[in-house]
Amino acid sequence: MTTLPLLVSTLLTCCGLGALFFVGLSEVQGYGSESRTPALAAALCLLVAALVLQGVGLGRATALFSMLRGLSHLSGASLALCSLLAGVVTAAAYLVMRSRDASRGALRVVAALSMLVGVLGAWLVGNQYVIANRTEWNTWLVPACYAVNALAMGATLLGSAMALRREPAGELRRVAVPAAALAAVQLVTLVAYAGFVGWGAVSPAWYWAGAVAVGCLASLGAEVASLRAPWAMPVALLCTVAGGLCFRVAMRMLSSDFITAVHVVSSGVHGYGM
Amino acid sequence: MRNCLVIDLDRCTGCDTCVVACKHENGVDLGVYWNHVVTMGPYGTYPDIEMYWLPTQCQQCANAPCISVCPTGASQRDPDTGAVVVDKEACIGCQTCISACPYGARTYLEDENIVVKCTLCNQLTRNGEDPACVHDCCTGARLWGDLDDENSDVAKYVAAAEEREAGSTHRLPDPGDAQPSTVYILSSKTAEWRDPE
């Protein structure tokens, strides 16, 4: 297993689940009707890609089935995988229903389900890192950061679809405002998490420059700009995704424990070349 | 039942026999160690210096985090011996347990895509024998038994050490709530206990 595929997998999962949430929300609130199907298709593609990356990361696809068989253990990793699968199934069902012109009532039900799967799933993806002995990760701020980042990515993804399909500015505003609010909330959660682990502990480049400056501030700026210039919304999406990736790398870099360093010393001093 | 190791650091000479015995008994791969002997020190300045050796391996935690995070149930406790073991057939190599273990006691084998660790020589202890590291320790620094049984050798040994010098028994730091079982005995005449950093 390598870290990178699983790290990217969580990014794609969160982006897909966030998009699922906002497509559902737009269905319930009645905006972005032209962009829902492409955004939903993008969400499904992202979730399937995340599933494939998980299989690649774990070395073999059958590992996914082993995790599902072990669901009774209620481990964080199994629940995160279930969230991903639930997202795939919900997005696929939603897409089929939209393509077959299902009744408005049925669409609203599946939209509500999508919102639930989206927000709960994003939380569970982050929650798998909450491990008692990993003091840097052992806080509810980690799943909160994942969930907020997922929703921010989802909002900007739907907003980008709306901008590209040239939906009316009034409609785009209905997703740009929550996207900007989410960028602000994300900024708060990231600062709070940095405060939790220690200001100096986080990587300046990945965390402060990447996750905070690009992922929150630049994204917020682009979302505000999109109120007048819709083309700024895809820029906001890129910034939010880049910020999400930087946050994951920075969070990973925080993970080290004392005994690993001891092992290195031990091997050097006492290694018999065994 | 809380079968675990008790390691008397007053007796340990850092000879690494336990490391060799473990590798020999369990066929541990080249470059992989299920236990380590860490040199602690020397501390202080001549002539007031002290050092000791700290053998580390799976701490057989009572609240083993590696078990609770395992997504397939591969990491489990043997009901007969109480040892934390890995079912190689069920392990998918996700390494979540490695993230959860605060003691770095687990190793990922890339070729087999599984995680391995000290099992307290479960194949031996199941038949009433001592783990290889205990059996082969040339100074008798390592003991194995049920710490919950007041009449066991390990429980008596730990009680005697505490009676000789209160505060001479130690456990590795517990950053979460893993409750490591392995007990280390280090009296002040040998050295002051220091947490590994």
Side-chain angles (χ1 to χ4, degrees), chain B residues 72-84:
Chain B
T72 66
S75 286
Q76 54 190 260
R77 196 176 294 282
D78 185 303
D80 297 328
T81 63
V84 177

PDB file of all heavy atoms in Angstrom, chain B residues 72-84:
ATOM      1  N   THR B  72     -10.917  -5.403   9.071  1.00  0.00           N
ATOM      2  CA  THR B  72     -11.330  -6.766   8.704  1.00  0.00           C
ATOM      3  C   THR B  72     -11.367  -7.728   9.887  1.00  0.00           C
ATOM      4  O   THR B  72     -11.758  -8.877   9.732  1.00  0.00           O
ATOM      5  CB  THR B  72     -10.365  -7.355   7.656  1.00  0.00           C
ATOM      6  OG1 THR B  72      -9.083  -7.515   8.266  1.00  0.00           O
ATOM      7  CG2 THR B  72     -10.248  -6.465   6.435  1.00  0.00           C
ATOM      8  N   GLY B  73     -10.955  -7.286  11.035  1.00  0.00           N
ATOM      9  CA  GLY B  73     -10.903  -8.186  12.189  1.00  0.00           C
ATOM     10  C   GLY B  73      -9.671  -9.074  12.175  1.00  0.00           C
ATOM     11  O   GLY B  73      -9.583 -10.030  12.940  1.00  0.00           O
ATOM     12  N   ALA B  74      -8.706  -8.749  11.291  1.00  0.00           N
ATOM     13  CA  ALA B  74      -7.481  -9.569  11.218  1.00  0.00           C
ATOM     14  C   ALA B  74      -6.662  -9.449  12.498  1.00  0.00           C
ATOM     15  O   ALA B  74      -6.079 -10.425  12.958  1.00  0.00           O
ATOM     16  CB  ALA B  74      -6.647  -9.145  10.013  1.00  0.00           C
ATOM     17  N   SER B  75      -6.638  -8.238  13.045  1.00  0.00           N
ATOM     18  CA  SER B  75      -5.968  -8.058  14.333  1.00  0.00           C
ATOM     19  C   SER B  75      -6.946  -8.465  15.418  1.00  0.00           C
ATOM     20  O   SER B  75      -8.044  -7.909  15.507  1.00  0.00           O
ATOM     21  CB  SER B  75      -5.556  -6.589  14.537  1.00  0.00           C
ATOM     22  OG  SER B  75      -4.458  -6.290  13.737  1.00  0.00           O
ATOM     23  N   GLN B  76      -6.557  -9.434  16.175  1.00  0.00           N
ATOM     24  CA  GLN B  76      -7.495  -9.983  17.159  1.00  0.00           C
ATOM     25  C   GLN B  76      -6.739 -10.526  18.366  1.00  0.00           C
ATOM     26  O   GLN B  76      -5.523 -10.660  18.342  1.00  0.00           O
ATOM     27  CB  GLN B  76      -8.289 -11.125  16.508  1.00  0.00           C
ATOM     28  CG  GLN B  76      -7.389 -12.191  15.903  1.00  0.00           C
ATOM     29  CD  GLN B  76      -8.140 -13.196  15.062  1.00  0.00           C
ATOM     30  OE1 GLN B  76      -8.415 -14.287  15.535  1.00  0.00           O
ATOM     31  NE2 GLN B  76      -8.454 -12.839  13.821  1.00  0.00           N
ATOM     32  N   ARG B  77      -7.488 -10.830  19.411  1.00  0.00           N
ATOM     33  CA  ARG B  77      -6.879 -11.388  20.606  1.00  0.00           C
ATOM     34  C   ARG B  77      -7.137 -12.890  20.633  1.00  0.00           C
ATOM     35  O   ARG B  77      -8.278 -13.332  20.457  1.00  0.00           O
ATOM     36  CB  ARG B  77      -7.482 -10.735  21.853  1.00  0.00           C
ATOM     37  CG  ARG B  77      -6.656 -10.954  23.112  1.00  0.00           C
ATOM     38  CD  ARG B  77      -7.248 -10.214  24.292  1.00  0.00           C
ATOM     39  NE  ARG B  77      -7.193  -8.763  24.158  1.00  0.00           N
ATOM     40  CZ  ARG B  77      -6.095  -8.029  24.360  1.00  0.00           C
ATOM     41  NH1 ARG B  77      -4.962  -8.609  24.705  1.00  0.00           N
ATOM     42  NH2 ARG B  77      -6.122  -6.726  24.224  1.00  0.00           N
ATOM     43  N   ASP B  78      -6.057 -13.661  20.801  1.00  0.00           N
ATOM     44  CA  ASP B  78      -6.225 -15.115  20.876  1.00  0.00           C
ATOM     45  C   ASP B  78      -6.986 -15.449  22.161  1.00  0.00           C
ATOM     46  O   ASP B  78      -6.523 -15.089  23.250  1.00  0.00           O
ATOM     47  CB  ASP B  78      -4.851 -15.795  20.868  1.00  0.00           C
ATOM     48  CG  ASP B  78      -4.968 -17.309  20.815  1.00  0.00           C
ATOM     49  OD1 ASP B  78      -5.615 -17.889  21.720  1.00  0.00           O
ATOM     50  OD2 ASP B  78      -4.430 -17.919  19.886  1.00  0.00           O
ATOM     51  N   PRO B  79      -8.130 -16.113  22.045  1.00  0.00           N
ATOM     52  CA  PRO B  79      -8.928 -16.353  23.253  1.00  0.00           C
ATOM     53  C   PRO B  79      -8.238 -17.271  24.260  1.00  0.00           C
ATOM     54  O   PRO B  79      -8.519 -17.205  25.454  1.00  0.00           O
ATOM     55  CB  PRO B  79     -10.208 -17.009  22.707  1.00  0.00           C
ATOM     56  CG  PRO B  79      -9.865 -17.501  21.345  1.00  0.00           C
ATOM     57  CD  PRO B  79      -8.772 -16.626  20.829  1.00  0.00           C
ATOM     58  N   ASP B  80      -7.311 -18.100  23.783  1.00  0.00           N
ATOM     59  CA  ASP B  80      -6.650 -19.041  24.688  1.00  0.00           C
ATOM     60  C   ASP B  80      -5.493 -18.405  25.449  1.00  0.00           C
ATOM     61  O   ASP B  80      -5.324 -18.633  26.644  1.00  0.00           O
ATOM     62  CB  ASP B  80      -6.136 -20.254  23.900  1.00  0.00           C
ATOM     63  CG  ASP B  80      -7.285 -21.021  23.261  1.00  0.00           C
ATOM     64  OD1 ASP B  80      -8.379 -21.032  23.872  1.00  0.00           O
ATOM     65  OD2 ASP B  80      -7.105 -21.579  22.169  1.00  0.00           O
ATOM     66  N   THR B  81      -4.692 -17.611  24.727  1.00  0.00           N
ATOM     67  CA  THR B  81      -3.492 -17.054  25.367  1.00  0.00           C
ATOM     68  C   THR B  81      -3.644 -15.573  25.707  1.00  0.00           C
ATOM     69  O   THR B  81      -2.837 -15.028  26.457  1.00  0.00           O
ATOM     70  CB  THR B  81      -2.271 -17.202  24.436  1.00  0.00           C
ATOM     71  OG1 THR B  81      -2.512 -16.433  23.247  1.00  0.00           O
ATOM     72  CG2 THR B  81      -2.048 -18.654  24.049  1.00  0.00           C
ATOM     73  N   GLY B  82      -4.625 -14.937  25.112  1.00  0.00           N
ATOM     74  CA  GLY B  82      -4.809 -13.504  25.362  1.00  0.00           C
ATOM     75  C   GLY B  82      -3.863 -12.635  24.551  1.00  0.00           C
ATOM     76  O   GLY B  82      -3.893 -11.406  24.670  1.00  0.00           O
ATOM     77  N   ALA B  83      -3.028 -13.251  23.720  1.00  0.00           N
ATOM     78  CA  ALA B  83      -2.056 -12.475  22.943  1.00  0.00           C
ATOM     79  C   ALA B  83      -2.739 -11.795  21.757  1.00  0.00           C
ATOM     80  O   ALA B  83      -3.659 -12.353  21.158  1.00  0.00           O
ATOM     81  CB  ALA B  83      -0.936 -13.384  22.437  1.00  0.00           C
ATOM     82  N   VAL B  84      -2.278 -10.593  21.439  1.00  0.00           N
ATOM     83  CA  VAL B  84      -2.778  -9.893  20.253  1.00  0.00           C
ATOM     84  C   VAL B  84      -2.040 -10.475  19.045  1.00  0.00           C
ATOM     85  O   VAL B  84      -0.814 -10.460  19.004  1.00  0.00           O
ATOM     86  CB  VAL B  84      -2.540  -8.378  20.359  1.00  0.00           C
ATOM     87  CG1 VAL B  84      -3.003  -7.674  19.085  1.00  0.00           C
ATOM     88  CG2 VAL B  84      -3.252  -7.815  21.570  1.00  0.00           C
TER      89      VAL B  84
END
